[in-house]
Amino acid sequence: MSISPIHFFQRSFPSANMVLLQGRQPILVDTGFGSDISETEELLREAGVAPENLSLIVNTHYHSDHVGGNYTLQTNYRIPIAAHRWEGEMINSRDREACSAEWLQQPVEPYMVNRMLSDGDELDAGGVPIQVIHTPGHTLGHISLYAPDQQILIAGDLFHQNDVGWINVFREGSGAMQRSLISLDRLATLPIRRAYSGHGPAIEAPSVSIDNARRRLEKWLQTPEKVAWHGCKRIFAYTLMIVDGIYEEEISEYLMACDWFHDFSRHAFKTEPHHFVTPLLEEMLRSGAAVRTDDGRYVAGAPYTSPRAEWSPTLPLPRQWPDVEKISPQL
């Protein structure tokens, strides 16, 4: 039996899933969260590809759980990185909105984008051709990758098996849901045998998941408050993962320092931030997005791997990153 040239790594939070295109010039799609870089390297070696033998890294989008390993892989092994040009240009100019890292308070180590991608571009891992499809919605520069020979789709965070990527209207614009719907409609025209999303298991019935995602987004267009709850719960749950829980008495002070919390409370729920702390905590517990431990900490309800002790959750923000010329020579 032949071995598939496309290797899927399902990963636990805080890392997103990865996909290895295992041709003569291996390409890695997404690199996980920064604190999981040792596991990222080990997964590659177990799959038979040493990190230094990668020909390219491709990011589906620039959120921290998808690009966190970029820094180490680029600086240690001189691996070039490709991303949609809209996000790549933001990264390389050190735009304060890059990765939404400042707004989300999610740490990302500095990197540069060496190859700017556009819709319709083609990549080749050496016998494994891949098509680049611009699928905005979750972010403006979000891309999906399609392997026509295998009829496999790498969907990033556009949709998951039983969920959709959260919609950030505060950074991606009020039309983000409509863009997601258009992206789903476009993918629905492809012959897809299997799909790999950024979170969760491989999707064996992609058309079903795409249809379910479309129906959910269409309902959200009529109930925008549900979009807001979906987003803020995921942001806060992810925070609880990367800091490994927050004591109840410290939560209010933490939230009041978060831009995302202020935007959701004031603009989505029409209330002052200090009035939204308790409703958010109650909803986190009710939905299972968080649990309260016996010692009074709120921790994420989903399984996750705590970042190792030496990992810093307070890395410099993109606007404080060194210029691209100082972190990596031209590759």
Side-chain angles (χ1 to χ4, degrees):
M1 184 175 66
S2 62
I3 299 175
S4 172
I6 300 180
H7 194 117
F8 171 65
F9 303 93
Q10 183 179 347
R11 307 191 68 181
S12 63
F13 290 110
S15 282
N17 296 335
M18 303 188 308
V19 179
L20 176 65
L21 310 175
Q22 206 162 353
R24 294 184 301 275
Q25 299 172 327
I27 294 175
L28 180 64
V29 181
D30 291 336
T31 61
F33 191 67
S35 65
D36 288 337
I37 186 59
S38 295
E39 180 189 68
T40 299
E41 293 176 310
E42 185 59 29
L43 288 171
L44 289 170
R45 294 189 181 98
E46 289 176 357
V49 175
E52 60 268 25
N53 291 334
L54 292 171
S55 71
L56 184 68
I57 291 165
V58 179
N59 294 140
T60 58
H61 60 293
Y62 59 13
H63 286 160
S64 64
D65 51 333
H66 294 257
V67 305
N70 286 6
Y71 170 81
T72 297
L73 293 173
Q74 185 172 70
T75 57
N76 287 1
Y77 309 114
R78 296 173 57 84
I79 310 300
I81 295 171
H84 190 274
R85 63 178 60 255
W86 292 350
E87 295 186 357
E89 290 166 0
M90 290 176 69
I91 291 295
N92 289 355
S93 67
R94 290 5 194 172
D95 192 299
R96 70 181 300 157
E97 293 291 340
C99 305
S100 292
E102 185 168 345
W103 188 79
L104 291 169
Q105 291 204 1
Q106 293 180 6
V108 181
E109 292 173 283
Y111 66 95
M112 66 181 290
V113 175
N114 310 94
R115 181 171 177 178
M116 303 293 176
L117 300 176
S118 297
D119 185 68
D121 284 352
E122 294 187 357
L123 305 171
D124 195 335
V128 188
I130 298 292
Q131 300 172 357
V132 176
I133 306 172
H134 185 205
T135 49
H138 182 62
T139 70
L140 280 170
H142 188 286
I143 59 172
S144 299
L145 302 170
Y146 180 63
D149 292 350
Q150 293 79 20
Q151 296 186 349
I152 287 178
L153 176 74
I154 303 170
D157 281 355
L158 178 61
F159 70 94
H160 308 302
Q161 180 168 273
N162 297 306
D163 199 0
V164 294
W166 66 282
I167 302 297
N168 184 358
V169 296
F170 301 110
R171 286 301 177 270
E172 307 305 329
S174 59
M177 274 195 295
Q178 287 88 344
R179 285 191 289 274
S180 288
L181 283 165
I182 292 171
S183 295
L184 289 169
D185 288 342
R186 187 176 181 193
L187 295 182
T189 66
L190 298 173
I192 306 171
R193 180 174 57 87
R194 180 181 297 124
Y196 301 133
S197 77
H199 301 282
I203 302 171
E204 302 296 340
S207 61
V208 174
S209 293
I210 290 173
D211 287 344
N212 288 340
R214 184 191 293 111
R215 282 193 290 270
R216 188 170 195 182
L217 290 172
E218 288 171 345
K219 288 182 180 178
W220 279 357
L221 285 172
Q222 308 304 319
T223 53
E225 187 170 293
K226 290 184 178 179
V227 185
W229 275 120
H230 188 260
C232 66
K233 286 192 293 184
R234 272 153 181 73
I235 296 170
F236 192 38
Y238 196 76
T239 292
L240 295 176
M241 294 173 188
I242 63 179
V243 301
D244 199 19
I246 303 177
Y247 284 100
E248 186 169 14
E249 61 270 20
E250 299 172 351
I251 288 177
S252 181
E253 180 180 1
Y254 171 81
L255 290 175
M256 294 300 291
C258 295
D259 290 342
W260 66 264
F261 182 75
H262 283 257
D263 281 344
F264 275 108
S265 59
R266 286 199 170 103
H267 302 298
F269 298 104
K270 309 300 182 184
T271 188
E272 287 301 308
H274 64 277
H275 290 314
F276 187 55
V277 175
T278 296
L280 176 59
L281 293 181
E282 290 176 347
E283 177 59 20
M284 293 291 289
L285 294 176
R286 185 206 65 78
S287 65
V291 295
R292 189 180 185 280
T293 64
D294 292 339
D295 63 353
R297 282 188 310 142
Y298 278 69
V299 299
Y304 69 97
T305 302
S306 302
R308 60 186 188 274
E310 63 270 25
W311 172 256
S312 171
T314 55
L315 294 169
L317 298 168
R319 60 188 169 89
Q320 301 165 324
W321 288 354
D323 293 338
V324 292
E325 294 82 3
K326 296 179 181 178
I327 69 163
S328 178
Q330 190 67 35
L331 299 172

